[in-house]
Amino acid sequence: MKTSFIDVTKVKKCADYIRYLSLESIEGAKSGHPGLPLGCAELGVLLYRYILRFNPEDPGWIDRDRFILSAGHGSMLLYSLLYLTGYRITLEDLRKFRQLESKTPGHPEYHIEYGIETTTGPLGQGFANAVGCAIEGKMLAQRFNRDEFDLFDYTIYTLMGDGCMMEGISSEAGSLAGHLGLDNLIAIYDSNRISIDGPTSLTMSEDTAARFEALGWHVEKADIKEIETLYSHLENLKTLKGKPKLLVMETTIGEGLYKKKDTADIHGSPAGIDEIAYFIQNSEIKHIFEEKYGKTDVQDKQKLMEILQNRQKNKEPLLQEPDSKAFIEQGPDERKKDYLEWKKKFESYQQQYKDLYEQLSFYLHFEFPGSLRDKLLNYNYFKGDEKKKTAAVRGISGKVLNLCANQLPQLVGGSADLTDSTKAKVENTDYIKRDNFAGRKIFFGVREHAMGAIGNGLALNKIMIPFTGTFFTFFDYMKPAVRMSALMKLKHLFIFSHDSIYVGEDGPTHQPIEHLNALRLIPDIYTFRPANDMETAFAYLYFLQEMDGPAAIVTTRQDLPEEVFTLPKNRERNREELYKQFKNGAYIFYETEGAQKPGIIFAASGSEVSLALQTAKLVEKNGKKAARVISIPCLELFSEAGISYKSRLFHHDQTPLVVIETASHRGIDLFYDKRTILVDIETFGKSAPYLELEKHFGFTPGAIYNRIAENIDLPPLENKEK
Amino acid sequence: MKTSFIDVTKVKKCADYIRYLSLESIEGAKSGHPGLPLGCAELGVLLYRYILRFNPEDPGWIDRDRFILSAGHGSMLLYSLLYLTGYRITLEDLRKFRQLESKTPGHPEYHIEYGIETTTGPLGQGFANAVGCAIEGKMLAQRFNRDEFDLFDYTIYTLMGDGCMMEGISSEAGSLAGHLGLDNLIAIYDSNRISIDGPTSLTMSEDTAARFEALGWHVEKADIKEIETLYSHLENLKTLKGKPKLLVMETTIGEGLYKKKDTADIHGSPAGIDEIAYFIQNSEIKHIFEEKYGKTDVQDKQKLMEILQNRQKNKEPLLQEPDSKAFIEQGPDERKKDYLEWKKKFESYQQQYKDLYEQLSFYLHFEFPGSLRDKLLNYNYFKGDEKKKTAAVRGISGKVLNLCANQLPQLVGGSADLTDSTKAKVENTDYIKRDNFAGRKIFFGVREHAMGAIGNGLALNKIMIPFTGTFFTFFDYMKPAVRMSALMKLKHLFIFSHDSIYVGEDGPTHQPIEHLNALRLIPDIYTFRPANDMETAFAYLYFLQEMDGPAAIVTTRQDLPEEVFTLPKNRERNREELYKQFKNGAYIFYETEGAQKPGIIFAASGSEVSLALQTAKLVEKNGKKAARVISIPCLELFSEAGISYKSRLFHHDQTPLVVIETASHRGIDLFYDKRTILVDIETFGKSAPYLELEKHFGFTPGAIYNRIAENIDLPPLENKEK
């Protein structure tokens, strides 16, 4: 028990100062969530003053302890602590809470330089991110720690609310964390028994502690009112080995207030001047008001309320409380010793473990290897196996992934129980397990949502490059995490296989329809749907070398026909130029030999490129028209490409344009160009062999030919071609 | 202990017959999942022979016990049982397993007439549906059961696999079920310790039984090998009161096979002729082969394999086993007594509880009340409160919902902890709780995914009309369930409030961007985004009176300005005609007075209709152009409307068309008509007051005016209008 170190009086005062900062900032913004900062202030002080190892002058220190506020609505707690401990967040920044372009948005937004480890708000995400960080910590430790050189020895702390606990993702991530025995993870459950609708007893009567024990966690219970005991728990939990740890911490939402304390009202609305006045009069930081406004006025509630009102009206700066700031700053100051020791250790490591140090440097200062660029640029799936003529994109993707993984040890990941189906695995490596994190394969289990968010957690430090894979239809299960990866611009690769009705017999539940365009709609993520081996390799190259943010690779289950692997023309001699075109998101995949200009243009992605090709040849032969086939491996890039590039591909406005995708464009097709013939699918799929489904849904060259013939002059097909 | 009733020998034989049916059907389809049907066959026999109350001649009997195969990939178990018990699924149907338009698709598809209670496949959905069914059972019982008239006394059985258990939705739904004490729910966990990637020990070491106990469930354990004990458990669980019940049943995946038994191989691929031959030789149904092909040949493995191969090649009918069919049919035969008694009881109820019977009839044979139609058709939010001039669509939606709820007692639902924010609640009614299900409010907790699937469960019987609500950004968390509602065409209303960047300070995590068009892309669900009170009432009217499937109503957080509540012209006198136009998905909301034809057309939905209106007036005044504003309350309906209606609204191809939505059209805008000026948002939002965000993202009349001026000839704006 190290309770002797604790200065309870100062902790309480500092906690009240955080309460004050939160209350006035939220009041100023006229919106925000005071409930959590008020309820958890003492915990925040204990963590940042006594527990966490960090250095605000080097916020990205790779061995820092991480604090993740999974209950992101309580952002003012985090911002207050970051201000107090000397991060680059000032009192003025707190005053700009929730204002445009401030450092203090409504929910914390990922910014390591400011001490914000991840974006939170959507409940449960932060907790699953924390599990990802903990896995990364274990991986790095096993790869690089040697004897006395425990370079990676950090602990992840995460604060969760009732909402995080109710979300399914917390069970998914919690179950995996328990399975892996992530003892570098400490979750603290802010159990205040209040959610937005009222007391949690309206809807929740589970024994959450027992639930986590069942998931393989070590669980302790504490009450935030007993500060010394709370501290002992935190110290104790840190030392326990073998299991992730949960501290169920009883708190009171809105602690320090009068009427709104312990009510749902204070969860997500400003407390109001009346409550703030009450709080100040009864708080440990009353003196800062008395010093500025005089004891008499502060003791008079009406007067104090007037003062507070005027402060808001005039947007006056938040008051300083130098004692609390000085007190809490002792935290990082004391830890500076650890930091400097670590730096020294790291220097010695460089001497003693030269090779390892170089390996680590490759993780920390990622530079894409030129030799890998060459391999990807010139990739040919069939090289060395000339008998094979056809292949599925998922298989190609798996091979390309491993080509990359051979040279990029930071590429780690796995699938949600569909490893061999999605081919999202690093070959010839072990899977990670309790007490052995040397491997690079992660068996996420049937837990897509946690997988996505754990993958995000693995990407946060920009050390690992995670990939996660599942069937494209189950993108739905992980969508909230995919969105977060885009919002944070994390380098996280999503591998989605089984990308259309060509899934076949598994039927409509397993056949993506709306998913392709739904994915494209998300800002800041790029969706690649390659049509052959070259495009697959290009997609990996583009993601790995040129992108900082996330990408999705969408792959076929079924084999594609031989001809797509022989195109575009000169494909083996012209790769640099083709890659340049690829980066525009679309390019000419095929064009009628010797044609001056196309009489018809086809545009398609993925497996439909081969279909476009076959249809184009029908039109050439029967319609005597020159045809052009455009492959669109990335519609977003194409949409962003310059207008002259687009015009070059689309020729001019009168040329008929046939767009083929086995994906929904429902509703949004309304505004399509009049010359556009859209061959898509806006109903759910069906269970049948996929060759049957092609016919059923009209995705055959003959059927598309006939669709075109409805719009432009074409002779009827011969029977055998129908 | 009623084990004396059990004929273990026949159960085993019947189970082997199911194994045979599954193996040959899957082999014929060349795809499918034998693991579960083989592992759980005895359970299936026990349930359908001894436990479940049902009548294949009246599959929709409202007091039947329900069996939901949450692990939907094991569909051949269900299809075999339905064939054996006399539902409208024949041996020929089994032979057509996974073929186009068969009754036996890859995963079970909702079809009460065939005995299929819900569509399953995406893991965990069926379990959450079962929770919804159990809630409905409790609600109906409390509303309509009287003294000796226990009209609604059914039990829901659901079979879950390891995958269902790993998915977060099972924790969410399990937690709520435990909270509500749903003792009419019995979940059976097919614990075979194998998932697709291999043994579950690769990724799962939780104590699932303890997890469910922590969630408030009664848990028992059994082994499928001990058939009599298993039966006792099932009988015992039925009688236990106060808690939902979980039976953890140890099974062996692929039971009956030789090498593939207890391996991941048998989860999702045909067993192969070799294994089938081994199974037949060692099974209780060997005789059906011996009878047909002779003992000698069947005892010779090579010969048997040839037989089996030829059977597949010639697509020979599956073999009959009359004993097993006769045996299992005794189940429904014996239960017929219950059924007939119930029918008699129902007739007496009609006499004795005339009012209640009439109420119940209104649930069972839904006819939309004409008086409600009138109210909705002529709805005016401000009637009776003329001082109010502006309103948020979420508030209007809440009022309209309650207008409907007053006349439709079957309208039940709630929100995922955002009841007062989304206004998704029935006023003046209690919330449902353990032992009291009279209320119509459901507090789902912060469990969006379970909420969606529980809502689907409530809709399955077509008795209740559920609604569920959350912030639009959290549509992501429930997307898999929204998809299932569309796939099953369930009458389920999704109420999504806080629909855009106008959410403001909560920032990008809480501001939907991609969600609007992502929702529209899903087949068979309609998305309404009303621009005022009239459109909101029309949307409810359309959903409730004219639709059988699901709809989403997407509403603003912020107040809309006065002018949208005074339009379209003659809005109070012309409602029938306006409703007709509304049903086309779009209509003329405003047009410059006296104009012959529009010089510019605006199209927008929801809150952007008011913005379009304001911009139109700027263009009128400064550009001297006649303007038309089209409101698009439902883009999908508009896209489906006849071409002449569309042309009428869009005038002709040269008129500039300004499309305004604070939603992403990323990528898909590429193919838009050349005359279209798209004002949308393809980045994430930001945390700030929404009036700041309007400016930041260019959603002000002045900014849009200037965008238009870039494309067509317009004079510059005066300063004050910028």
Side-chain angles (χ1 to χ4, degrees), chain A residues 98 106-107 167-168 172 175 197 203 206-207 419 443 448 477 483 506 514 521-522 664 666 671 673 687, chain B residues 98 106-107 123 167-168 172 175 197 203 206 214 419 443 448 483 506 514 521-522 664 666 671 673 687:
Chain A
R98 295 183 155 234
H107 293 81
E167 290 289 3
E172 293 184 6
S175 181
D197 276 351
T203 188
E206 65 175 54
D207 180 345
T419 303
F443 284 121
E448 297 84 3
Y477 273 69
R483 181 171 218 258
D506 273 343
E514 66 273 26
L521 289 168
I522 309 170
S664 169
R666 185 166 178 253
F671 301 104
D673 204 305
S687 169
Chain B
R98 295 187 153 230
H107 293 82
L123 296 175
E167 290 288 1
E172 292 183 7
S175 182
D197 276 349
T203 189
E206 63 174 57
T419 303
F443 284 120
E448 296 85 2
R483 181 171 217 256
D506 273 344
E514 66 273 27
L521 289 167
I522 309 170
S664 170
R666 186 166 177 254
F671 301 104
D673 205 304
S687 168

Side-chain angles (χ1 to χ4, degrees), chain B residues 393-614:
Chain B
V393 180
R394 61 175 166 147
I396 299 167
S397 165
K399 291 283 180 206
V400 174
L401 171 67
N402 277 280
L403 198 68
C404 301
N406 284 342
Q407 287 184 250
L408 305 177
Q410 54 273 75
L411 209 49
V412 300
S415 167
D417 200 40
L418 290 167
T419 303
D420 285 322
S421 303
T422 57
K423 314 290 180 197
K425 72 169 167 184
V426 181
E427 306 278 358
N428 308 318
T429 168
D430 206 354
Y431 61 94
I432 61 163
K433 44 184 167 283
R434 173 185 290 272
D435 301 326
N436 188 354
F437 289 81
R440 293 164 64 184
K441 256 204 291 265
I442 306 177
F443 284 120
F444 286 101
V446 190
R447 305 182 184 104
E448 296 85 2
H449 196 178
M451 173 172 74
I454 290 171
N456 289 345
L458 284 164
L460 284 170
N461 288 309
K462 302 186 190 293
I463 297 177
M464 296 294 186
I465 303 174
F467 63 88
T468 54
T470 186
F471 286 167
F472 196 21
T473 192
F474 300 133
F475 154 54
D476 285 351
Y477 274 69
M478 60 194 295
K479 164 75 209 301
V482 175
R483 181 171 217 256
M484 295 305 286
S485 79
L487 189 49
M488 290 191 265
K489 299 199 175 66
L490 297 175
K491 195 155 183 162
H492 179 172
L493 181 65
F494 299 94
I495 300 174
F496 295 124
S497 75
H498 293 58
D499 69 347
S500 70
I501 51 162
Y502 295 112
V503 163
E505 290 89 342
D506 273 344
T509 54
H510 285 56
Q511 291 165 2
I513 296 291
E514 66 273 27
H515 304 71
L516 183 60
N517 282 307
L519 190 47
R520 288 167 173 163
L521 289 167
I522 309 170
D524 293 331
I525 178 169
Y526 289 84
T527 304
F528 294 94
R529 191 167 181 243
N532 65 12
D533 52 346
M534 182 189 82
E535 290 187 9
T536 308
F538 283 0
Y540 274 89
L541 176 56
Y542 189 77
F543 167 71
L544 287 167
Q545 183 168 29
E546 314 212 9
M547 286 182 65
D548 291 320
I553 293 194
V554 175
T555 69
T556 71
R557 169 185 187 241
Q558 79 279 13
D559 277 4
L560 298 185
E562 192 174 343
E563 59 257 40
V564 294
F565 298 105
T566 61
L567 288 170
K569 211 175 147 184
N570 296 328
R571 66 173 231 150
E572 302 311 334
R573 274 177 292 162
N574 204 15
R575 287 294 180 102
E576 282 286 3
E577 170 57 25
L578 284 168
Y579 183 52
K580 223 172 94 189
Q581 294 174 17
F582 173 91
K583 289 196 279 184
N584 279 322
Y587 64 102
I588 298 172
F589 193 77
Y590 169 80
E591 191 135 37
T592 304
E593 198 76 43
Q596 289 298 310
K597 56 174 192 162
I600 186 165
I601 300 172
F602 293 84
S605 68
S607 48
E608 286 80 85
V609 173
S610 63
L611 181 56
L613 196 63
Q614 288 158 0

Side-chain angles (χ1 to χ4, degrees), chain A residues 10-52:
Chain A
K10 286 194 174 163
V11 170
K12 283 187 176 169
K13 188 176 180 183
C14 192
D16 269 358
Y17 184 50
I18 289 172
R19 291 191 172 94
Y20 156 70
L21 293 174
S22 302
L23 284 168
E24 266 211 335
S25 302
I26 292 167
E27 206 67 26
K30 298 193 189 70
S31 80
H33 299 78
L36 185 145
L38 269 61
C40 295
E42 283 81 3
L43 173 81
V45 177
L46 287 181
L47 285 174
Y48 278 77
R49 169 64 187 83
Y50 295 111
I51 305 287
L52 295 177

